[in-house]
Amino acid sequence: MVIDGVTKASFDELVEIETDEGERRLGKVLEIGFGKAVVQVFEGTTGLAITGTKVKFLGKTMTMPVSQELLGRVFDGLGRPNDGLPDPVADKFLDVNGEPMNPQSREYPTSFIQTGVSVIDGMLTLVRGQKLPIFSGSGMSHNILAAQIARQATVVGTNEDFAVVFAAIGVQYSEAQYFKRSLEESGALRRSVLFINLADDPAIERIITPRVALTVAEYLAFDLGMHVLAILTDMTNYAEALREISAAREEVPGRKGYPGYLYTDLANNYERAGRIKGKSGSVTQMPILSMPADDITHPIPDLTGYITEGQVVLGRDLFRKGIYPPVNVMMSLSRLMKDGVGEGKTRSDHMEVGNQLYDAYSRAQEVRALAEIVGKAGLTGVDLKYLDAGDNFETHFLKQSPDENRNLDETLSRAWDILAALPEGELTKIKDKHIQQYYKGNK
Amino acid sequence: MSLNSLERTLDKVLSQKESELISEIDSALQNSLKNLESSKSTLQVEYDAIIESSKKQAENLKRQIIGSSTLNARNKELIIIESAIDEIFTKAKEKLAQSNNEKNYEKLLTKMIQDSVSKLGSDIVIQCNKADQKLVRKISSQEPTGKNMKISVSDDFLDIIGGIKATSVDGTMTLDNTLDSNIESLKPLIRKAIVQLLRGEKK
Amino acid sequence: MVVKGRIVWVSGPAVKADGMSSAKMYETVEVGDSKLIGEVIRLTGDVAFIQVYESTSGLKPGEDVIGTGQPLSVLLGPGIIGRIYDGIQRPLDEIAEKSGAFIGRGITTSPVDMKKKYKFNPLVKKDDTIFGGSVLGTVEETPLLTHKILVPPNYPESTLTDIAKEGEYDLEHVIGQASSKNGDKIQLKMYHKWPVRKPRPYAERYDPTVPLVTGQRIIDTYFPIAKGGTGAIPGGFGTGKTVTLHQIAKWADSKVVVYIGCGERGNEMTEVLVEFPHLIDPRSQRPLMERTVLVANTSNMPVAAREASIYTGVTMAEYYRDMGYDVVLVADSTSRWAEALREMSGRLEEMPAEEGYPSYLASRLAEFYERAGRIRALGSPDRSGSVTLVGAVSPSGADFTEPVTTHTIRFIKTFWALDTRLAYSRHYPSINWMQSYSGYLEDISKWWKENVSPDWYDLRAESYHILQREDTLKEIVRLLGPEALPDEEKLVLEVARMIKIGILQQNSFDKVDTYCGPAKQLKLVRLMVKFYKEAQKALKEGKSLADIRALPIITTLLRAKFEVTDEEISKLEEIDKQLSDSFKGNIEEVKVSV
């Protein structure tokens, strides 16, 4: 929306729009100059008449009131109470856009988070301050997985629970409700802050939802010293909203109609994770996005993968086989695992076992493909063992129940069970010392 | 075969049968004992599992109950605080409404009118409440007016506690400088101060 | 005259100001009340188009824009090494001191400590003739690096009228005075400034004939880059681009490394900051940080400064080159830099070319890679230095036909194509040996011949040929299964697998494997080629493939890369002998069984 006769407004300023029917909406200045202001209206421009609409420049950028009191509260996508309770009394008002964290001031993330999910703890370890997205597809069990992680995540060696900041971005009511109930049932709601923008809420509002959520996450982490797990679902809806605005402004599009600044814009959200030297808290981010048509090269997962520190990819095949969590480990990766595991952090064999499992499962996949050509009968002894190990991996290690919380020892013990089916000579990624100590197969 | 030998044979057979029987009974007994033992241990395992899972459930339930009850208690507190805030606000507004005769208020109005002129430029129309009209007229007439500068005071009164609202003559721009809207925009800060007072915290 | 204009329009990092008719192109300006740093990137009449290097949130039309009269420049002098800068050479540690853990706005700092005293050793004396680029003296910048104090390159030939004695001076101290032929008096300090968009001049350009040894087998042996050369490393996310670049930055045999984190992850820069001070340079036994400069403009930092960061980095690299050093500049990622160009271009409402990139994308890339080279520096004494440029490319959707990749290919000579499939199967570095190439192979083979072994070129070619054959055979296997091949060809698959595991794969997290010197690289290749020849011979003599596959020497060969360190390379001779023996033994066995 373009407003004429504006001379005193500033870039990024917050604007209140009053329709001729007295309804109030919020917006912000995208462009200002030559007497005109281009304003983005968060709740959409439907029903705005050219005459009769009043615009109020509020003289400040968009802020979010923050305080400890936010825990246990539910807000809408713009950070307004949505639970029938009064506005929170603010300790501070923070600009929702945040400021870039100085790389010099960052503390490199190295503390292991136990999620109780074997495939993540064992092979895709999450560390405090990491940003690890879940790449999913429509209808798959990403929300169940995220909720399980939110309930179970603990920092080993401490009894500290995570505070959960949950931002629902354009999701269905039932999904948001599932998440809320899941937190409620585990008693985690009182250490959670929820922001809910539903599928039928204005799309433009979605631009703000992750920003208010991350503003609160940063406050809880760096002002109050808490460990925060921020879950943003579904970032695809966020990117679509961005595309919509860009198209309305007739900007030159980049790939697939998404604006050229999609990368920068996503980065401005995803980079709001980490640890800071001298502060005890941390923001660990777990954005969820559904890959359009399960296509990992689509700009949204693609650009996300370039920014985040790895990715957990859910696979349609495993999902169809009824395996939960259906994590495609070959396509998944945790970049910070190498720094968060091992002697003194988890267990000295952790990294090697993880690598060996990758290797074994990868070989199993190759053998499976080969078996399709030559038939199972055409396989040699070792190949058959890999085939078994692959099946075993899926049913004994990967698969677990959504309310099953496995500690790291159990996870690693299950890993060794699978490796026991392979001859010792195949375990090329594991040091002799650990084979002596843990290998259960025939020596 | 003599009777004797027959007897002996019978005895032998009998004793053999007997020992067989005894050992059979014995092994049956052992077996059933074993069965009992083993069923006992499986029972124990099952029993333990049931206890364990109900313990877990109880634990979960406890967490859930504690979680939601502390949350509920907190939320009730929030509502009570909010009503206290509202009360204080209403009182404060009432008090403000009565203070329109003070000298400072005239100064404030003067500043507001000057501010409106500088921001909106040229001709403006000022609205205020009924009680303030005289004062606003007086101040406006003292303001220097040029050829492009005319301040008119409207008779269309506003239902406000004080302050003014200025509109450019073409009606496109309005500057809302009423006390009501000023208080409203400061409300978050005032609320914080009130809550700190209520909770006995120091500023 | 100071230019003073007024903001008339703001949209993100783009600002228009009027009253700017006397401003110059690429002049640095202070924008608005909070004095944000900006640069004039277009002038139309009296309206200047300015890109602002900081967040413009809250900026209003009507606020002042004040010119500085200077183009965007970097300060060049001792104190640069070991620091981490943002895109416009502001040290991040000082920004942190002034604004905390989050980066504030309108902060001005000095790129180096102007108060710090360095011990200056003069190398010239009074009445000497000096030229632009001449070395006046040296200071020790770090234990690893002797910093040469240079006369600014654009200074005329002059006669020294005064030069400071050996002693401790700070950067503002006048260490020399000279007068030029037409009588101009010149004052010389230990630093000077240079505009980032202007390549530093040199006397003469050399052909790149010396390889940059990186200790990475697939790079040095198969797709080498020369000192002063250009290389690009494109790859989708998760292919290990950054790890590979870190490896080059860590182990390349250059004197100085400039690492530019351009629009990438914050934690990656932190990782370098945490790791480099603890990593020891294999040649000098000193911490790597003592030869490294970092330029960090992470993805969430202002996009305009991302555009500038590349130029800031390359100008610093050229400065050290001019001292007569070999410099490697690693830019991660040039795609994010291109996107910054695209974003500014969009705001300027220029006519877009493919995928919204500006039509001058290609020429900007060309200009950047053209700043690489091995040169003879200006002034005296004679010295040669080089800047090697390695740029990461992050193609969207791992699609190498997108504009940044296709244009980059035109201007670089070494291409390391990262392969998503290899990365998925945990083959690292995931450089695809069929798609990658090096244009320096012939130029640098002389170096290998003279310094390592005369048969380097042939061994490389023989081993590479095995990989090529495997690539064609793989198609058949995919369709018909491996049993369709004769034993001779199955052997090719087997040896190719050994080369992949034993040579191409390299574990950057393994203490031994992370760096592999040229001599060891060649030895490993020689062993593989020898194995192939021996096995071929054995096959011809009637030996079965299954028996060859079962030879224990294979495991030894595969493990040699991390079992044998560079220092104990003679162990590879023993393995060589074992290799000969195991085939001898087998052949005898065959004879007995016949």
Side-chain angles (χ1 to χ4, degrees), chain A residues 102-177:
Chain A
N102 190 329
Q104 177 100 35
S105 306
R106 280 181 184 267
E107 181 94 48
Y108 194 66
T110 53
S111 318
F112 170 66
I113 298 174
Q114 181 178 296
T115 65
V117 179
S118 284
V119 65
I120 292 183
D121 292 350
M123 303 171 76
L124 300 163
T125 303
L126 184 65
V127 298
R128 264 190 330 219
Q130 186 175 13
K131 36 192 184 293
L132 187 66
I134 299 178
F135 288 2
S136 184
S138 53
M140 285 203 272
S141 37
H142 46 268
N143 284 328
I144 301 177
L145 181 58
Q148 184 176 9
I149 293 169
R151 282 194 314 267
Q152 298 181 172
T154 47
V155 179
V156 174
T158 68
N159 259 333
E160 287 174 84
D161 277 326
F162 275 84
V164 178
V165 172
F166 174 75
I169 307 160
V171 303
Q172 283 165 6
Y173 176 76
S174 60
E175 287 178 82
Q177 212 49 30

Side-chain angles (χ1 to χ4, degrees), chain A residues 114 116 118 397 399-400 404-408 410-411 414:
Chain A
Q114 181 178 296
S118 284
F397 185 83
K399 189 174 180 171
Q400 82 184 75
E404 186 183 356
N405 192 350
R406 295 183 192 154
N407 64 28
L408 184 69
E410 188 185 343
T411 290
R414 280 169 183 264

Side-chain angles (χ1 to χ4, degrees), chain C residues 213 250-254 280-286 291 515:
Chain C
V213 176
K250 280 175 196 168
W251 308 123
D253 63 337
S254 69
I280 302 298
D281 178 25
R283 283 162 288 267
S284 62
Q285 305 301 318
R286 296 288 314 171
R291 62 159 202 185
Y515 177 86

Side-chain angles (χ1 to χ4, degrees), chain A residues 135 236 239-240 243 255-256 258 262 289-304, chain C residues 237 396-397:
Chain A
F135 288 2
T236 300
E240 310 265 85
R243 177 164 70 172
R255 229 167 217 234
K256 291 207 171 154
Y258 291 92
L262 179 62
L289 54 90
S290 47
M291 299 180 280
D294 291 352
D295 174 11
I296 198 167
T297 67
H298 183 280
I300 300 168
D302 188 53
L303 295 179
T304 299
Chain C
F237 66 84
S396 22

Side-chain angles (χ1 to χ4, degrees), chain C residues 470-480:
Chain C
E470 187 238 11
D471 195 59
T472 24
L473 293 175
K474 253 182 6 199
E475 266 317 297
I476 302 171
V477 174
R478 202 167 294 143
L479 294 172
L480 304 170

Side-chain angles (χ1 to χ4, degrees), chain A residues 399-443:
Chain A
K399 189 174 180 171
Q400 82 184 75
S401 147
D403 55 12
E404 186 183 356
N405 192 350
R406 295 183 192 154
N407 64 28
L408 184 69
D409 277 330
E410 188 185 343
T411 290
L412 292 181
S413 161
R414 280 169 183 264
W416 280 105
D417 285 345
I418 290 153
L419 298 178
L422 299 174
E424 192 192 332
E426 293 291 313
L427 307 186
T428 53
K429 311 245 168 186
I430 303 181
K431 291 209 176 97
D432 207 36
K433 183 177 86 175
H434 296 131
I435 291 186
Q436 297 303 331
Q437 195 176 348
Y438 298 107
Y439 181 60
K440 301 170 189 168
N442 300 322
K443 297 203 177 171

